[in-house]
Amino acid sequence: MKLLSIELENFRPYGGRHRLSFAQESGHNVTLVYGTNGGGKTTLLNAFTWALYGKLSSDVEQQERLINNRVWQDAPVGSQIEMSVEAEFEHEGRVYTARRHLMAEKQGPDQKLPKPQLTLRERDDKGFTRELRSAQGHIDKILPERLSRFFFVNGERIEQLVRKEAYAEIQHAIKTLLGLEQLERALKHLPLAANKLRHQLKSKGADGEQAGRLTGEIDAILKETEEKKQEKESLRTEVQHLKDEIDLLSARLKTLDGAKQLQQERERLEQERESVHASLRKLEDDRARVLAGSGYLAFLPELPQQIIAACDALREKGQLPAPLKRTFIEDLLTEGACICGTHLPKGSLERAALETWRARAGLAEVEAAWNQLRGNVATLEERRSTVLERLFDADRLIGEASDKERSLVEQLNEVSIELKKLPQEDINAIEVNRGKLIDRLSETSRRLGGIDEHLELLAAQKKQKEEQVDKLQVKDENNQRIQRRITVIRDTENALRQILELLSDSIRRRLDTRIRDLFKQASLKNYEPELTGDFQLEYWERVGGETMPAPKSTGENMLLSLSFVGAIAQECRDAATNTNPFFGGVGGEYPVVMDAVFGNLDDDYRRQIAKFLPEMTSQVVVLSSKAQADGVAEEALAQRIGKQYIITTHTTKSDLVDVTEKISVDGRDYPYQVVGSSFDGAEITEVTA
């Protein structure tokens, strides 16, 4: 997908028509759009997703007011008002125009809008144009909605990728890349199909009654499982909402005199606590692995010596090792002659004596086992000492990390107390509200963990009851056929699940390699990222040969998240060249449209990110305030910029002071904020040479 243009008509702050075309040349693949904070950049980002998917991001307020307020207010009652967003893009040699629009009749101040309509036109390389049916289906095939969030990105939200709860979002992206949705659907429906067959089992006597009872219980488990999964999704959404609210309050505290330094100190302590907590979990996992693999050695203080003593006693008696090999004696008996030449006829005293020795002789396997046992037992004490030493060291390090975490928690509590002591009522209110949100977050997270445990219990119960049904004795041919079908379904489900896991892990490993390579190019520090087997973005530092969780600054989080987006873009690009994919996954070149990418980063990180962005993919659209991009970021981007635009913000307020009314781009001044304007809204102007 290559973006060609986007046109907005009466869309939110943009009254009238506004059109942007985008840079496409390989050496000048960046389109830079300047706009004030709250001036329309996020709306422009949302215009893409609204045109393609009919959705706005969750942080957009008053989502029902899609039509520009001024246009709506000025229109007479009873008139028709049109609003639309039209996105033109190229994909696999064809040009598409997606237009989502609506026509609303004004009946009063509230916007009661009809359902928007989507049309999709396709133009081939010969210029022939046709309108496509199932427009949304075509768009989802080109770029699935749940993958689009990685290409149309709010920079202030992208850091959420480094949070642990983002694993599901990353996992969904990986499955979408491979086109594994059909596998997921099959895995969802196969258990239902199997249980539907179980309902058809009919048998006389107790087996029939038991089959009916077990099938009903499985139905109840499936129903409860689905309810719990829905509750889990709801709680996950609530967790994310609470975290967003906490982040907003934290950001607000940093803008208030008196609270700024305390809030910055709290963020430093929180980052340190997160690092210590991750180290603590890793130490506990390492200790658990030692206990699982070699913990039994701690309970064998005397057994090695006892085993050696027993073996030595047998050796003194001549029983170990055996004085003769049984195979040697059996060969003599078979030949009927001793090595000294004595004949060994059956019934002779000589043969009887040799047969007695055969009973006392040892097998070669016993001899080898004795030698191996003797060697292994000799190292048990050394291995036991090593394990105990590792466990003692682990306990010491875990204790130190636990003490450090408790100390950091105490310091964080002290910061909160200091904030509440400040005389400003607004600071106190924000801190109290923030504390309540944190308590709610803790409780919601606890409930979320409880649901995960309950889901595991339900899965175990379902498996147990299914096995009980499978063991029922059914004699008639029809029931036996049903049971065979159930077995086939279960085997198919297991096979598909293994395929899903193998393919997901394969692409996870490829993405992990790409993320490492991209991050190495961009990072200012010698840290190492990892996309773990749990689909989490981690960040490691090597200290004295040990791998420890590295502290994640805002800049490092941004680079890590951008590296993931870049890796996704590379994977899509390479997938387009795969002529024989396992499944119909997503492939092609995709743009990255990013709002507020520079945030509040320092110059070093803004420079690195500005250098990194044009390399992520073939086309990049950057939405930024002039202040955030000014200086090092603009300088780093300068050679790659192909198009530039200015979003001019209009406000009817006339008493504003210290407002940037004009900005200079390429030596020319452009209106940036118009104070005392005749309307509230935004206009887009292209920067020309």
Side-chain angles (χ1 to χ4, degrees):
M1 171 187 279
K2 180 178 289 186
L3 294 174
L4 302 179
S5 66
I6 189 168
E7 183 175 276
L8 290 67
E9 181 181 10
N10 297 330
F11 183 67
R12 295 183 67 83
Y14 297 98
R17 291 177 180 264
H18 299 269
R19 181 181 176 85
L20 295 86
S21 58
F22 301 103
Q24 302 174 42
E25 297 180 18
S26 59
H28 300 84
N29 62 328
V30 176
T31 301
L32 181 56
V33 181
Y34 294 106
T36 64
N37 293 329
K41 300 192 306 299
T42 301
T43 297
L44 183 56
L45 174 68
N46 275 272
F48 290 98
T49 57
W50 192 80
L52 296 175
Y53 309 105
K55 293 185 178 180
L56 303 173
S57 60
S58 58
D59 56 342
V60 173
E61 297 180 354
Q62 296 182 330
Q63 297 201 8
E64 72 283 354
R65 297 192 70 85
L66 291 172
I67 298 178
N68 177 263
N69 284 332
R70 174 171 59 95
V71 172
W72 185 266
Q73 181 180 355
D74 292 347
V77 174
S79 63
Q80 298 287 326
I81 306 172
E82 186 173 13
M83 185 276 292
S84 67
V85 178
E86 183 176 282
E88 187 180 30
F89 58 90
E90 181 183 343
H91 188 70
E92 296 182 347
R94 296 173 181 267
V95 175
Y96 297 87
T97 303
R99 183 172 186 265
R100 197 175 297 270
H101 61 98
L102 59 82
M103 184 73 73
E105 180 180 344
K106 181 178 178 180
Q107 298 176 347
D110 295 333
Q111 293 188 14
K112 297 180 180 180
L113 307 179
K115 182 180 179 180
Q117 301 299 310
L118 172 66
T119 59
L120 182 65
R121 298 192 306 276
E122 176 192 71
R123 186 171 75 248
D124 61 21
D125 54 359
K126 296 180 180 179
F128 177 75
T129 301
R130 64 182 180 125
E131 184 172 328
L132 299 176
R133 295 181 178 180
S134 302
Q136 194 62 65
H138 281 284
I139 291 173
D140 286 336
K141 287 181 180 179
I142 294 171
L143 180 58
E145 180 186 345
R146 69 178 184 180
L147 195 61
S148 68
R149 69 192 69 179
F150 298 103
F151 297 113
F152 299 100
V153 185
N154 185 332
E156 295 174 348
R157 306 288 180 183
I158 193 175
E159 287 185 56
Q160 294 173 0
L161 285 176
V162 301
R163 293 177 175 175
K164 292 188 180 298
E165 60 270 14
Y167 76 93
E169 186 175 1
I170 293 174
Q171 190 178 32
H172 285 326
I174 288 174
K175 291 176 181 177
T176 303
L177 281 173
L178 286 170
L180 299 180
E181 289 89 347
Q182 57 266 53
L183 265 183
E184 290 184 300
R185 286 194 294 269
L187 288 170
K188 180 178 180 181
H189 293 300
L190 282 173
L192 300 175
N195 213 43
K196 186 176 181 180
L197 285 173
R198 290 189 186 95
H199 277 285
Q200 299 176 18
L201 282 172
K202 296 179 181 179
S203 180
K204 296 180 180 180
D207 283 348
E209 294 177 1
Q210 188 177 7
R213 176 178 59 80
L214 289 171
T215 303
E217 291 174 354
I218 293 172
D219 284 340
I221 291 174
L222 289 172
K223 181 180 179 181
E224 186 177 1
T225 298
E226 188 61 31
E227 291 173 351
K228 288 298 179 182
K229 286 182 178 180
Q230 292 177 3
E231 185 180 355
K232 179 180 177 179
E233 287 302 312
S234 176
L235 287 175
R236 284 180 53 195
T237 301
E238 184 179 352
V239 164
Q240 190 57 59
H241 174 73
L242 289 170
K243 287 185 175 182
D244 290 344
E245 290 295 316
I246 292 169
D247 288 344
L248 288 173
L249 292 179
S250 298
R252 174 63 177 152
L253 285 172
K254 286 198 297 186
T255 66
L256 299 175
D257 293 337
K260 181 178 180 180
Q261 291 184 343
L262 286 171
Q263 179 57 32
Q264 289 175 337
E265 174 65 9
R266 174 155 61 190
E267 290 181 355
R268 184 191 68 79
L269 291 171
E270 286 176 340
Q271 289 179 359
E272 187 176 356
R273 184 184 64 172
E274 182 181 347
S275 177
V276 170
H277 185 76
S279 299
L280 181 59
R281 296 288 80 82
K282 184 176 184 298
L283 289 168
E284 290 176 339
D285 289 343
D286 291 343
R287 181 177 64 180
R289 280 191 290 270
V290 172
L291 286 171
S294 306
Y296 67 92
L297 293 171
F299 303 97
L300 305 178
E302 300 177 358
L303 188 59
Q305 291 78 6
Q306 292 174 355
I307 294 174
I308 292 175
C311 291
D312 289 341
L314 291 172
R315 184 172 186 177
E316 290 176 3
K317 295 177 182 179
Q319 296 175 354
L320 283 176
L324 292 173
K325 300 291 187 234
R326 182 175 296 180
T327 54
F328 171 71
I329 297 175
E330 289 177 343
D331 288 343
L332 295 178
L333 292 172
T334 301
E335 294 174 2
C338 183
I339 59 174
C340 64
T342 303
H343 291 287
L344 303 171
K346 292 183 179 181
S348 65
L349 293 175
E350 292 82 0
R351 189 178 183 91
L354 202 55
E355 288 174 342
T356 301
W357 270 106
R358 180 173 60 177
R360 296 174 56 192
L363 292 170
E365 292 84 357
V366 175
E367 184 79 7
W370 178 82
N371 288 327
Q372 185 178 6
L373 174 64
R374 190 70 165 76
N376 288 340
V377 169
T379 64
L380 274 178
E381 183 58 34
E382 181 181 353
R383 290 163 58 198
R384 178 176 177 273
S385 298
T386 301
V387 168
L388 289 174
E389 184 177 347
R390 290 178 65 185
L391 290 175
F392 288 145
D393 286 343
D395 286 341
R396 176 180 57 80
L397 293 173
I398 288 172
E400 291 174 356
S402 297
D403 291 342
K404 179 65 174 177
E405 186 174 28
R406 281 193 294 271
S407 174
L408 290 168
V409 170
E410 291 174 359
Q411 294 178 61
L412 285 166
N413 290 336
E414 291 174 2
V415 170
S416 181
I417 292 171
E418 291 298 319
L419 283 167
K420 291 176 182 177
K421 287 181 180 179
L422 293 175
Q424 296 94 324
E425 291 184 4
D426 51 349
I427 294 177
N428 183 275
I430 291 173
E431 183 61 22
V432 169
N433 190 23
R434 185 179 181 277
K436 291 179 180 178
L437 290 173
I438 289 175
D439 290 341
R440 285 178 56 193
L441 176 61
S442 177
E443 173 61 21
T444 305
S445 299
R446 185 192 63 77
R447 290 169 56 196
L448 197 55
I451 287 178
D452 284 333
E453 293 179 0
H454 193 64
L455 284 172
E456 291 179 4
L457 177 62
L458 289 172
Q461 292 175 348
K462 173 176 169 287
K463 181 179 180 181
Q464 180 187 35
K465 295 184 184 300
E466 287 174 344
E467 291 173 349
Q468 291 176 2
V469 174
D470 294 341
K471 292 177 181 178
L472 292 177
Q473 298 296 321
V474 292
K475 298 179 180 180
D476 61 283
E477 183 179 345
N478 183 59
N479 283 341
Q480 290 175 355
R481 183 167 56 252
I482 290 173
Q483 283 195 327
R484 288 195 297 271
R485 289 177 177 175
I486 292 173
T487 300
V488 170
I489 289 176
R490 185 174 61 247
D491 292 343
T492 302
E493 181 185 356
N494 291 335
L496 290 180
R497 197 174 301 281
Q498 291 178 25
I499 291 172
L500 182 63
E501 291 174 356
L502 287 171
L503 291 175
S504 296
D505 188 63
S506 174
I507 192 173
R508 181 196 63 79
R509 292 176 184 274
R510 293 202 304 271
L511 286 173
D512 178 57
T513 300
R514 296 182 191 276
I515 291 168
R516 292 172 188 266
D517 292 342
L518 288 169
F519 187 82
K520 187 176 181 179
Q521 297 174 25
S523 178
L524 297 170
K525 298 177 182 177
N526 192 25
Y527 292 159
E528 187 173 303
E530 179 187 11
L531 181 58
T532 70
D534 295 330
F535 300 96
Q536 294 178 0
L537 281 172
E538 295 287 3
Y539 195 38
W540 305 103
E541 177 183 11
R542 295 192 179 276
V543 180
E546 293 288 331
T547 301
M548 305 292 290
K552 295 176 183 176
S553 66
T554 301
E556 296 299 315
N557 280 344
M558 179 65 77
L559 286 175
L560 184 56
S561 301
L562 288 175
S563 297
F564 176 79
V565 172
I568 291 283
Q570 289 182 357
E571 187 66 31
C572 289
R573 180 194 61 205
D574 291 353
T577 63
N578 187 358
T579 57
N580 188 27
F582 194 89
F583 286 97
V586 178
E589 290 275 6
Y590 291 97
V592 171
V593 181
M594 183 163 289
D595 178 27
V597 63
F598 301 115
N600 296 315
L601 302 177
D602 60 29
D603 283 352
D604 289 336
Y605 279 110
R606 288 195 297 141
R607 182 186 297 108
Q608 288 301 109
I609 289 172
K611 291 179 179 178
F612 181 65
L613 285 171
E615 308 300 330
M616 287 175 58
T617 186
S618 61
Q619 189 181 40
V620 179
V621 179
V622 178
L623 312 175
S624 175
S625 69
K626 178 65 174 175
Q628 290 175 345
D630 198 26
V632 295
E634 284 181 324
E635 293 171 5
L637 284 172
Q639 299 302 316
R640 304 297 294 271
I641 294 175
K643 290 273 188 178
Q644 294 184 89
Y645 292 88
I646 310 294
I647 299 175
T648 303
T649 304
H650 289 256
T651 176
T652 54
K653 292 193 68 174
S654 58
D655 57 348
L656 297 177
V657 295
D658 298 328
V659 172
T660 304
E661 296 185 3
K662 295 182 180 181
I663 60 172
S664 178
V665 180
D666 292 345
R668 293 184 58 183
D669 289 339
Y670 293 86
Y672 195 48
Q673 296 183 84
V674 179
V675 178
S677 176
S678 61
F679 66 94
D680 292 300
E683 294 179 325
I684 299 176
T685 304
E686 183 175 1
V687 174
T688 57

